[in-house]
Amino acid sequence: MAVNAFYSHRDPMLKKRDDFEDMLEDRRNSSDLKYALRCYTPVLYRGVTPCTPSTLKSTVLQSDQLRYVIHQVSKETGKATDDVKDEASAILEEMAQCLQLSTVRFFAFALSKAFKTLFRSICVNEDGIQRLQQAIQEHPVVLLPSHRSYMDFLLMSYILYTYDVALPVIAAGMDFMGMKFVGEMLRMSGAFFIRRSFGGDKLYWALFSEYVKTMLRNGFAPVEFFLEGTRSRTSKSLTPKLGLLNIVMDPFLKGEVFDVNVVPVSISYERVLEETLYARELLGIPKPKESTSGLFKARKILSEDYGSIHVYFGQPVSVRSLAQGRVNRCQFNLLPRHIPRRPGDDISSFVNDSAYRLVRAQEENMVLKPWVLVVSLLLQYHHQHQAGGQNQGTALSELTAHAVWLRDLSRQYGAFLHWPDHDPPSEVVSSSLTLHRGLVRICGDNVQLAVEQAGGPAGPGPHSCPAPEEELLSQAVVILSCASYRNQALHVFVRPALLALAIHSASSNQKQEVFNSFSFLRNMFSNEFILCPGATVQDFEEACYLLVKTGALQLTQQVVLVTERGLRTLAFLSSMLDPFLQGYQVVCRFLCEEATETLTRKTVVPAVRKFIKKHLLAGRLRYMEVLSSDLQKNALAALLRLGAVRKMKGVEQEVLKVSRVMVSSLEDTLGGKLPTQKAAVARL
């Protein structure tokens, strides 16, 4: 496929995609007990004999690095060396995994029962599993799954057990430790527990990094962690966190291993278990604390249908190949290797660039289901009807025709789309609507989002009108849930969509003017989407290529021309990003109008949310997605990066200093990016 070839040329990590097999098919036709108790003999790194968890802990505590740090901490704090050693031992005891095959077999049995109830299929690319098995034998392996659900790490271990692949040790947050019984079960299935932040705790950092590096160097097991650091509540990829990636690359950079294989894994859910929970969290409703009782209360989800899961194991990426020509490893010979040192600018830049490439590799192999396209259209219809003061839905036949158009467009853009071509399109769309019936209303041939309209709740229930703010939040839960599915397709459309907005807003159709506008938008949104550092020209060329290829644009050396057939494409693409534009604008407006001298990072999101609610209720804002705390935080991060907002030392804590001139200027520039032929964002 030409688009795949284009992407492969751009990024050699992205290759031709494999076919899938449903691993639940065997589970439905054979005994779960027999499966859980079967012979499990994975091939390990160079035939290494696995060491026990206690030997592993002992190796870490006796390492040169830890001895050095214990001595340093003792000197700095005045504590006796033996006391610091005891503290280190206690931290490691709390942190370490204790992988036991008996616990893994219990999970294999229990998860088989649960997965067959919850999901229609779990589809895995078996070629990717074979590549992983080969990679594990050759070099230490790091698994990097995408993170959209609590289910991810259980699913990963379940798949690897099923295919007789070495089970990973998994970095998990301390919050799971609060789950009595379950926390220890997770530890015995390979989880090791880490704090969400270490602050300046030298001892903790040394223990954690040495523990991970020891497992990696010795080929104890594949190391698994989430590059995004936490679950994405919006289904967009999050800006990668670099701490653990720095740690797993360190043994190669210091010449302690010949290479490290990093395997990006893409996990795509047709329906996410936590969809409503995520929407509520984004609206500022705190997530329930992880607890065993909470887990049992969640059993009601077993009566729901969550469709299928696709898990794609990507090509193993050699850290040695990534580093070639980028990193001079001789610098590590200047100091004894056990002495901790901050990575230099070249190492930081290399790790950062690698992280973005790896998240992009995850994105490219995420499978899109028909619902992702259908809901993208339904959201746009909803916004158009709202702007026109109408509440009517869309005819199913019209929705189907538009979904087929979008299916063809997304395939031309290189999307990994799982659309059953043997079924009539009307059946495919109807099946998607049925699976997600909690988010849509179907009345005869009419389809619309299940957003309760003013005047009372939709469907059965009491007829009393809820309070306006309550009604707004209940509508927002539906909109944000739908937006999270639309967001699954953003990596496919974001570059051409940025170009579509740039064309609308550029002062002329001169290519340089359009590029300048594209560059501004790309820079503004680089906290919002995965846009690789330093790749502005490459992204612009890719966007041009895709729009020209699909007949939406004509390019000359100096001029960008929109074709007649391109108007529809550009309108759709612009509309995808309009909620993000309005979100950034409204954060700017808040900072100009209501920011106080005592504003902090902690207080800014609740204050922005209150400001937005007021303007949504007054009808001055068009998109409920602007209520998302994720969007608000990303907008603030962009303004901090651009210097329009600065962090200053306050009396008790850091406060935010707003440059109203800069913020106002950015708001005005963003205001010019909204297509003029559509209803413009209301000025606040």
Side-chain angles (χ1 to χ4, degrees):
M1 194 175 184
V3 171
N4 286 347
F6 174 81
Y7 285 145
S8 298
H9 168 69
R10 297 272 170 178
D11 190 340
M13 284 162 55
L14 309 174
K15 303 291 181 187
K16 184 180 178 297
R17 289 144 177 165
D18 307 326
D19 294 328
F20 286 101
E21 296 293 332
D22 176 15
M23 62 179 288
L24 282 188
E25 201 172 316
D26 281 350
R27 298 279 42 77
R28 295 190 197 281
N29 300 319
S30 59
S31 159
D32 289 330
L33 189 59
K34 212 171 187 177
Y35 157 75
L37 298 176
R38 71 194 176 83
C39 180
Y40 172 69
T41 52
V43 179
L44 298 174
Y45 172 51
R46 294 185 179 171
V48 73
T49 306
C51 64
T52 63
S54 58
T55 308
L56 182 64
K57 284 186 275 191
S58 175
T59 306
V60 172
L61 289 169
Q62 290 166 20
S63 68
D64 289 340
Q65 183 183 347
L66 211 69
R67 284 177 176 172
Y68 176 83
V69 171
I70 285 171
H71 180 68
Q72 289 290 103
V73 170
S74 171
K75 208 159 69 171
E76 287 169 15
T77 60
K79 290 180 183 174
T81 305
D82 284 348
D83 290 345
V84 180
K85 277 182 185 170
D86 290 345
E87 192 183 333
S89 189
I91 290 170
L92 196 55
E93 203 60 41
E94 177 190 62
M95 181 190 296
Q97 55 80 24
C98 185
L99 186 59
Q100 293 181 10
L101 190 55
S102 56
T103 308
V104 171
R105 292 189 187 283
F106 168 78
F107 269 119
F109 177 77
L111 290 174
S112 281
K113 297 289 185 197
F115 287 164
K116 286 188 291 186
T117 305
L118 287 168
F119 303 108
R120 298 174 188 178
S121 59
I122 298 177
C123 302
V124 180
N125 65 321
E126 294 184 346
D127 289 349
I129 294 285
Q130 287 172 16
R131 289 192 297 265
L132 174 60
Q133 284 173 321
Q134 186 64 37
I136 286 171
Q137 294 174 56
E138 292 169 356
H139 302 291
V141 163
V142 176
L143 293 166
L144 296 179
S146 57
H147 201 14
R148 303 291 180 269
S149 171
Y150 272 140
M151 191 69 74
D152 294 331
F153 63 88
L154 294 171
L155 182 63
M156 285 287 291
S157 295
Y158 179 77
I159 291 168
L160 297 183
Y161 177 78
T162 302
Y163 285 101
D164 227 25
V165 180
L167 289 167
V169 287
I170 308 149
M174 274 291 186
D175 26 11
F176 288 103
M177 286 280 290
M179 300 172 72
K180 289 175 188 169
F181 176 67
V182 173
E184 284 310 306
M185 289 286 285
L186 292 173
R187 188 192 297 278
M188 289 188 284
S189 63
F192 61 97
F193 298 99
I194 56 174
R195 295 176 191 165
R196 290 289 178 191
S197 62
F198 307 162
D201 193 332
K202 280 185 188 174
L203 185 62
Y204 194 92
W205 175 257
L207 276 161
F208 168 58
S209 59
E210 190 58 27
Y211 184 67
V212 173
K213 285 188 275 191
T214 302
M215 290 191 287
L216 202 68
R217 280 192 297 257
N218 298 350
F220 175 83
V223 174
E224 177 183 317
F225 65 92
F226 300 109
L227 194 48
E228 297 162 283
T230 186
R231 289 173 298 157
S232 170
R233 271 73 172 165
T234 60
S235 291
K236 287 192 295 99
S237 294
L238 306 178
T239 302
K241 304 286 188 293
L242 305 180
L244 258 165
L245 193 60
N246 265 305
I247 288 170
V248 298
M249 286 184 166
D250 197 62
F252 164 74
L253 295 171
K254 289 181 175 172
E256 295 167 345
V257 296
F258 181 77
D259 200 358
V260 174
N261 278 322
V262 184
V263 181
V265 184
S266 309
I267 306 175
S268 312
Y269 293 90
E270 187 167 14
R271 188 177 163 210
V272 181
L273 273 74
E274 301 100 325
E275 75 180 18
T276 308
L277 178 69
Y278 286 167
R280 292 168 68 82
E281 277 186 52
L282 291 169
L283 291 167
I285 301 160
K287 72 170 183 174
K289 194 178 174 191
E290 282 78 9
S291 67
T292 306
S293 61
L295 188 69
F296 286 113
K297 283 175 193 166
R299 283 178 304 169
K300 63 181 182 183
I301 66 169
L302 291 171
S303 61
E304 293 277 334
D305 177 4
Y306 287 91
S308 60
I309 305 175
H310 285 76
V311 183
Y312 193 98
F313 288 81
Q315 292 280 352
V317 178
S318 155
V319 173
R320 190 178 191 87
S321 299
L322 286 176
Q324 199 165 10
R326 286 288 311 269
V327 176
N328 176 13
R329 293 196 292 158
C330 295
Q331 62 186 281
F332 293 98
N333 298 332
L334 302 175
L335 271 178
R337 287 176 187 157
H338 65 270
I339 296 178
R341 52 173 279 176
R342 278 193 172 281
D345 290 347
D346 61 332
I347 300 293
S348 298
S349 173
F350 163 68
V351 173
N352 188 52
D353 290 353
S354 300
Y356 272 87
R357 287 189 64 192
L358 289 162
V359 177
R360 284 282 286 133
Q362 286 176 347
E363 285 185 333
E364 290 296 335
N365 290 324
M366 296 294 273
V367 172
L368 305 185
K369 302 292 285 187
W371 169 247
V372 173
L373 306 184
V374 169
V375 80
S376 299
L377 294 165
L378 286 172
L379 276 166
Q380 292 198 12
Y381 300 155
H382 175 77
H383 294 143
Q384 286 161 13
H385 293 155
Q386 289 286 98
Q390 304 163 320
N391 294 324
Q392 82 269 24
T394 304
L396 183 58
S397 55
E398 186 184 341
L399 176 62
T400 301
H402 289 174
V404 168
W405 169 80
L406 189 51
R407 174 198 69 187
D408 296 342
L409 183 70
S410 57
R411 279 178 173 164
Q412 288 179 298
Y413 284 8
F416 197 176
L417 186 62
H418 193 264
W419 181 294
D421 287 311
H422 52 274
D423 293 338
S426 57
E427 283 183 22
V428 174
V429 171
S430 294
S431 172
S432 290
L433 294 170
T434 302
L435 183 66
H436 297 274
R437 57 188 171 274
L439 298 175
V440 290
R441 292 274 180 267
I442 303 171
C443 186
D445 188 43
N446 236 29
V447 184
Q448 62 183 24
L449 297 183
V451 176
E452 295 173 1
Q453 304 302 334
H463 294 288
S464 59
C465 292
E469 188 171 317
E470 209 177 293
E471 185 183 349
L472 176 71
L473 289 177
S474 80
Q475 291 175 2
V477 166
V478 174
I479 295 293
L480 289 178
S481 298
C482 290
S484 73
Y485 288 104
R486 175 207 60 206
N487 290 347
Q488 291 181 21
L490 280 172
H491 69 274
V492 175
F493 295 112
V494 68
R495 287 156 191 80
L498 287 170
L499 180 54
L501 285 177
I503 289 166
H504 280 299
S505 62
S507 54
S508 73
N509 63 356
Q510 291 295 304
K511 196 173 180 182
Q512 186 59 48
E513 287 288 340
V514 173
F515 174 76
N516 292 344
S517 188
F518 177 89
S519 184
F520 166 81
L521 285 164
R522 187 189 183 280
N523 187 28
M524 195 75 203
F525 287 124
S526 59
N527 293 84
E528 195 70 51
F529 311 114
I530 297 299
L531 299 162
C532 296
T536 304
V537 172
Q538 182 180 317
D539 284 348
F540 181 72
E541 287 174 356
E542 180 182 313
C544 288
Y545 169 84
L546 293 173
L547 287 170
V548 169
K549 175 179 184 272
T550 50
L553 287 188
Q554 289 177 353
L555 289 185
T556 68
Q557 285 291 98
Q558 281 86 30
V559 179
V560 177
L561 297 170
V562 181
T563 65
E564 191 65 36
R565 64 185 287 199
L567 291 172
R568 178 186 186 183
T569 304
L570 266 64
F572 168 79
L573 292 170
S574 299
S575 295
M576 277 200 106
L577 296 191
D578 281 355
F580 298 96
L581 272 171
Q582 186 168 92
Y584 278 49
Q585 278 185 285
V586 77
V587 169
C588 289
R589 178 67 6 218
F590 164 80
L591 291 171
C592 286
E593 286 186 5
E594 300 207 4
T596 63
E597 296 297 316
T598 56
L599 194 67
T600 66
R601 292 195 83 152
K602 197 173 179 180
T603 59
V604 68
V605 170
V608 169
R609 187 183 296 120
K610 186 179 175 186
F611 182 79
I612 289 172
K613 280 180 192 170
K614 180 175 74 178
H615 288 289
L616 276 168
L617 289 167
R620 298 192 193 99
L621 291 170
R622 183 174 171 189
Y623 301 103
M624 282 190 201
E625 289 102 305
V626 300
L627 278 168
S628 163
S629 59
D630 182 76
L631 194 156
Q632 294 155 18
K633 287 172 188 172
N634 288 339
L636 182 65
L639 294 170
L640 282 161
R641 176 172 47 80
L642 295 169
V645 177
R646 285 179 299 136
K647 289 185 275 191
M648 308 282 282
K649 287 280 181 199
V651 179
E652 292 179 1
Q653 57 185 316
E654 252 180 5
V655 295
L656 300 176
K657 180 78 174 168
V658 179
S659 166
R660 284 181 167 78
V661 173
M662 274 190 77
V663 171
S664 181
S665 172
L666 286 167
E667 184 201 353
D668 289 342
T669 311
L670 284 169
K673 305 300 171 190
L674 282 171
T676 52
Q677 74 267 32
K678 292 161 41 191
V681 172
R683 291 294 296 175
L684 302 179

